[in-house]
PDB file of all heavy atoms in Angstrom:
ATOM      1  N   LYS A 154     -13.270  36.997 142.408  1.00 98.00           N
ATOM      2  CA  LYS A 154     -12.711  35.647 142.565  1.00 98.00           C
ATOM      3  C   LYS A 154     -13.721  34.702 143.182  1.00 98.00           C
ATOM      4  O   LYS A 154     -13.927  33.600 142.707  1.00 98.00           O
ATOM      5  CB  LYS A 154     -11.477  35.718 143.458  1.00 98.00           C
ATOM      6  CG  LYS A 154     -10.325  36.432 142.797  1.00 98.00           C
ATOM      7  CD  LYS A 154      -9.022  36.094 143.516  1.00 98.00           C
ATOM      8  CE  LYS A 154      -7.886  36.919 142.968  1.00 98.00           C
ATOM      9  NZ  LYS A 154      -7.898  38.309 143.474  1.00 98.00           N
ATOM     10  N   ASP A 155     -14.362  35.165 144.271  1.00 97.00           N
ATOM     11  CA  ASP A 155     -15.172  34.242 145.050  1.00 97.00           C
ATOM     12  C   ASP A 155     -16.661  34.451 144.781  1.00 97.00           C
ATOM     13  O   ASP A 155     -17.296  35.300 145.409  1.00 97.00           O
ATOM     14  CB  ASP A 155     -14.844  34.455 146.540  1.00 97.00           C
ATOM     15  CG  ASP A 155     -15.513  33.418 147.415  1.00 97.00           C
ATOM     16  OD1 ASP A 155     -15.966  32.386 146.866  1.00 97.00           O
ATOM     17  OD2 ASP A 155     -15.591  33.631 148.636  1.00 97.00           O
ATOM     18  N   ILE A 156     -17.211  33.688 143.846  1.00 98.00           N
ATOM     19  CA  ILE A 156     -18.657  33.753 143.609  1.00 98.00           C
ATOM     20  C   ILE A 156     -19.225  32.333 143.587  1.00 98.00           C
ATOM     21  O   ILE A 156     -18.527  31.387 143.221  1.00 98.00           O
ATOM     22  CB  ILE A 156     -19.018  34.494 142.295  1.00 98.00           C
ATOM     23  CG1 ILE A 156     -18.320  33.875 141.081  1.00 98.00           C
ATOM     24  CG2 ILE A 156     -18.705  35.977 142.394  1.00 98.00           C
ATOM     25  CD1 ILE A 156     -18.805  34.447 139.749  1.00 98.00           C
ATOM     26  N   LYS A 157     -20.487  32.221 144.012  1.00 98.00           N
ATOM     27  CA  LYS A 157     -21.108  30.888 144.104  1.00 98.00           C
ATOM     28  C   LYS A 157     -22.427  30.898 143.350  1.00 98.00           C
ATOM     29  O   LYS A 157     -23.319  31.689 143.651  1.00 98.00           O
ATOM     30  CB  LYS A 157     -21.391  30.544 145.571  1.00 98.00           C
ATOM     31  CG  LYS A 157     -20.148  30.447 146.446  1.00 98.00           C
ATOM     32  CD  LYS A 157     -19.570  29.054 146.413  1.00 98.00           C
ATOM     33  CE  LYS A 157     -18.303  28.901 147.235  1.00 98.00           C
ATOM     34  NZ  LYS A 157     -17.159  29.739 146.837  1.00 98.00           N
ATOM     35  N   LEU A 158     -22.521  30.003 142.397  1.00 98.00           N
ATOM     36  CA  LEU A 158     -23.742  29.882 141.590  1.00 98.00           C
ATOM     37  C   LEU A 158     -24.619  28.759 142.138  1.00 98.00           C
ATOM     38  O   LEU A 158     -24.131  27.651 142.387  1.00 98.00           O
ATOM     39  CB  LEU A 158     -23.361  29.582 140.134  1.00 98.00           C
ATOM     40  CG  LEU A 158     -24.454  29.033 139.215  1.00 98.00           C
ATOM     41  CD1 LEU A 158     -25.534  30.077 138.959  1.00 98.00           C
ATOM     42  CD2 LEU A 158     -23.849  28.560 137.894  1.00 98.00           C
ATOM     43  N   ARG A 159     -25.903  29.067 142.334  1.00 98.00           N
ATOM     44  CA  ARG A 159     -26.873  28.057 142.765  1.00 98.00           C
ATOM     45  C   ARG A 159     -27.993  28.012 141.735  1.00 98.00           C
ATOM     46  O   ARG A 159     -28.455  29.049 141.276  1.00 98.00           O
ATOM     47  CB  ARG A 159     -27.455  28.416 144.131  1.00 98.00           C
ATOM     48  CG  ARG A 159     -26.424  28.423 145.255  1.00 98.00           C
ATOM     49  CD  ARG A 159     -26.980  28.969 146.553  1.00 98.00           C
ATOM     50  NE  ARG A 159     -27.165  30.405 146.524  1.00 98.00           N
ATOM     51  CZ  ARG A 159     -28.338  31.026 146.513  1.00 98.00           C
ATOM     52  NH1 ARG A 159     -29.471  30.339 146.527  1.00 98.00           N
ATOM     53  NH2 ARG A 159     -28.412  32.337 146.485  1.00 98.00           N
ATOM     54  N   VAL A 160     -28.407  26.777 141.382  1.00 98.00           N
ATOM     55  CA  VAL A 160     -29.448  26.615 140.363  1.00 98.00           C
ATOM     56  C   VAL A 160     -30.569  25.760 140.937  1.00 98.00           C
ATOM     57  O   VAL A 160     -30.313  24.756 141.614  1.00 98.00           O
ATOM     58  CB  VAL A 160     -28.860  25.926 139.100  1.00 98.00           C
ATOM     59  CG1 VAL A 160     -29.912  25.830 137.996  1.00 98.00           C
ATOM     60  CG2 VAL A 160     -27.628  26.670 138.596  1.00 98.00           C
ATOM     61  N   GLY A 161     -31.799  26.158 140.674  1.00 97.00           N
ATOM     62  CA  GLY A 161     -32.941  25.381 141.148  1.00 97.00           C
ATOM     63  C   GLY A 161     -34.008  25.264 140.066  1.00 97.00           C
ATOM     64  O   GLY A 161     -33.844  25.783 138.959  1.00 97.00           O
ATOM     65  N   ASP A 162     -35.075  24.564 140.400  1.00 97.00           N
ATOM     66  CA  ASP A 162     -36.164  24.354 139.443  1.00 97.00           C
ATOM     67  C   ASP A 162     -37.497  24.608 140.156  1.00 97.00           C
ATOM     68  O   ASP A 162     -37.875  23.852 141.054  1.00 97.00           O
ATOM     69  CB  ASP A 162     -36.084  22.914 138.907  1.00 97.00           C
ATOM     70  CG  ASP A 162     -37.109  22.648 137.819  1.00 97.00           C
ATOM     71  OD1 ASP A 162     -38.081  23.422 137.697  1.00 97.00           O
ATOM     72  OD2 ASP A 162     -36.938  21.642 137.089  1.00 97.00           O
ATOM     73  N   LEU A 163     -38.175  25.682 139.753  1.00 95.00           N
ATOM     74  CA  LEU A 163     -39.426  26.040 140.428  1.00 95.00           C
ATOM     75  C   LEU A 163     -40.533  25.026 140.213  1.00 95.00           C
ATOM     76  O   LEU A 163     -41.448  24.911 141.030  1.00 95.00           O
ATOM     77  CB  LEU A 163     -39.910  27.420 139.957  1.00 95.00           C
ATOM     78  CG  LEU A 163     -39.206  28.635 140.547  1.00 95.00           C
ATOM     79  CD1 LEU A 163     -39.856  29.905 140.046  1.00 95.00           C
ATOM     80  CD2 LEU A 163     -39.249  28.602 142.072  1.00 95.00           C
ATOM     81  N   GLU A 164     -40.466  24.280 139.092  1.00 94.00           N
ATOM     82  CA  GLU A 164     -41.493  23.243 138.869  1.00 94.00           C
ATOM     83  C   GLU A 164     -41.430  22.231 140.012  1.00 94.00           C
ATOM     84  O   GLU A 164     -42.447  21.804 140.543  1.00 94.00           O
ATOM     85  CB  GLU A 164     -41.291  22.519 137.534  1.00 94.00           C
ATOM     86  CG  GLU A 164     -41.332  23.389 136.301  1.00 94.00           C
ATOM     87  CD  GLU A 164     -42.492  24.367 136.271  1.00 94.00           C
ATOM     88  OE1 GLU A 164     -43.630  23.946 136.560  1.00 94.00           O
ATOM     89  OE2 GLU A 164     -42.255  25.565 135.993  1.00 94.00           O
ATOM     90  N   LEU A 165     -40.216  21.834 140.358  1.00 94.00           N
ATOM     91  CA  LEU A 165     -40.042  20.839 141.423  1.00 94.00           C
ATOM     92  C   LEU A 165     -40.525  21.403 142.752  1.00 94.00           C
ATOM     93  O   LEU A 165     -41.279  20.764 143.484  1.00 94.00           O
ATOM     94  CB  LEU A 165     -38.573  20.417 141.537  1.00 94.00           C
ATOM     95  CG  LEU A 165     -37.924  19.828 140.278  1.00 94.00           C
ATOM     96  CD1 LEU A 165     -36.481  19.436 140.548  1.00 94.00           C
ATOM     97  CD2 LEU A 165     -38.712  18.610 139.791  1.00 94.00           C
ATOM     98  N   LEU A 166     -40.125  22.649 143.035  1.00 93.00           N
ATOM     99  CA  LEU A 166     -40.490  23.269 144.305  1.00 93.00           C
ATOM    100  C   LEU A 166     -42.013  23.410 144.402  1.00 93.00           C
ATOM    101  O   LEU A 166     -42.633  23.047 145.406  1.00 93.00           O
ATOM    102  CB  LEU A 166     -39.806  24.636 144.425  1.00 93.00           C
ATOM    103  CG  LEU A 166     -40.095  25.441 145.685  1.00 93.00           C
ATOM    104  CD1 LEU A 166     -39.661  24.688 146.935  1.00 93.00           C
ATOM    105  CD2 LEU A 166     -39.384  26.800 145.648  1.00 93.00           C
ATOM    106  N   ARG A 167     -42.621  23.926 143.337  1.00 91.00           N
ATOM    107  CA  ARG A 167     -44.081  24.150 143.376  1.00 91.00           C
ATOM    108  C   ARG A 167     -44.848  22.836 143.475  1.00 91.00           C
ATOM    109  O   ARG A 167     -45.855  22.760 144.174  1.00 91.00           O
ATOM    110  CB  ARG A 167     -44.527  24.943 142.147  1.00 91.00           C
ATOM    111  CG  ARG A 167     -44.031  26.389 142.224  1.00 91.00           C
ATOM    112  CD  ARG A 167     -44.868  27.333 141.371  1.00 91.00           C
ATOM    113  NE  ARG A 167     -44.404  28.714 141.566  1.00 91.00           N
ATOM    114  CZ  ARG A 167     -43.895  29.479 140.608  1.00 91.00           C
ATOM    115  NH1 ARG A 167     -43.795  29.017 139.378  1.00 91.00           N
ATOM    116  NH2 ARG A 167     -43.504  30.713 140.876  1.00 91.00           N
ATOM    117  N   SER A 168     -44.369  21.811 142.778  1.00 91.00           N
ATOM    118  CA  SER A 168     -45.103  20.545 142.836  1.00 91.00           C
ATOM    119  C   SER A 168     -45.011  19.958 144.255  1.00 91.00           C
ATOM    120  O   SER A 168     -45.956  19.358 144.753  1.00 91.00           O
ATOM    121  CB  SER A 168     -44.609  19.558 141.776  1.00 91.00           C
ATOM    122  OG  SER A 168     -43.392  18.997 142.170  1.00 91.00           O
ATOM    123  N   PHE A 169     -43.882  20.183 144.911  1.00 88.00           N
ATOM    124  CA  PHE A 169     -43.730  19.694 146.280  1.00 88.00           C
ATOM    125  C   PHE A 169     -44.659  20.442 147.228  1.00 88.00           C
ATOM    126  O   PHE A 169     -45.306  19.861 148.099  1.00 88.00           O
ATOM    127  CB  PHE A 169     -42.276  19.851 146.750  1.00 88.00           C
ATOM    128  CG  PHE A 169     -41.765  18.641 147.462  1.00 88.00           C
ATOM    129  CD1 PHE A 169     -40.675  17.938 146.974  1.00 88.00           C
ATOM    130  CD2 PHE A 169     -42.389  18.192 148.625  1.00 88.00           C
ATOM    131  CE1 PHE A 169     -40.216  16.812 147.627  1.00 88.00           C
ATOM    132  CE2 PHE A 169     -41.923  17.076 149.288  1.00 88.00           C
ATOM    133  CZ  PHE A 169     -40.837  16.384 148.787  1.00 88.00           C
ATOM    134  N   ILE A 170     -44.733  21.763 147.040  1.00 89.00           N
ATOM    135  CA  ILE A 170     -45.601  22.583 147.892  1.00 89.00           C
ATOM    136  C   ILE A 170     -47.055  22.121 147.747  1.00 89.00           C
ATOM    137  O   ILE A 170     -47.806  22.027 148.725  1.00 89.00           O
ATOM    138  CB  ILE A 170     -45.452  24.082 147.524  1.00 89.00           C
ATOM    139  CG1 ILE A 170     -44.082  24.580 147.969  1.00 89.00           C
ATOM    140  CG2 ILE A 170     -46.549  24.930 148.150  1.00 89.00           C
ATOM    141  CD1 ILE A 170     -43.755  25.977 147.516  1.00 89.00           C
ATOM    142  N   LYS A 171     -47.433  21.802 146.506  1.00 88.00           N
ATOM    143  CA  LYS A 171     -48.800  21.335 146.237  1.00 88.00           C
ATOM    144  C   LYS A 171     -49.049  20.007 146.970  1.00 88.00           C
ATOM    145  O   LYS A 171     -50.108  19.801 147.564  1.00 88.00           O
ATOM    146  CB  LYS A 171     -48.962  21.132 144.719  1.00 88.00           C
ATOM    147  CG  LYS A 171     -50.342  21.471 144.223  1.00 88.00           C
ATOM    148  CD  LYS A 171     -50.290  21.871 142.774  1.00 88.00           C
ATOM    149  CE  LYS A 171     -51.424  21.210 142.023  1.00 88.00           C
ATOM    150  NZ  LYS A 171     -51.114  21.124 140.588  1.00 88.00           N
TER     151      LYS A 171
END
Side-chain angles (χ1 to χ4, degrees):
K154 291 198 186 77
D155 187 16
I156 56 172
K157 297 272 178 299
L158 163 67
R159 296 172 287 110
V160 184
D162 185 343
L163 282 183
E164 301 314 314
L165 302 181
L166 179 60
R167 290 203 176 118
S168 76
F169 224 119
I170 289 173
K171 215 154 136 203

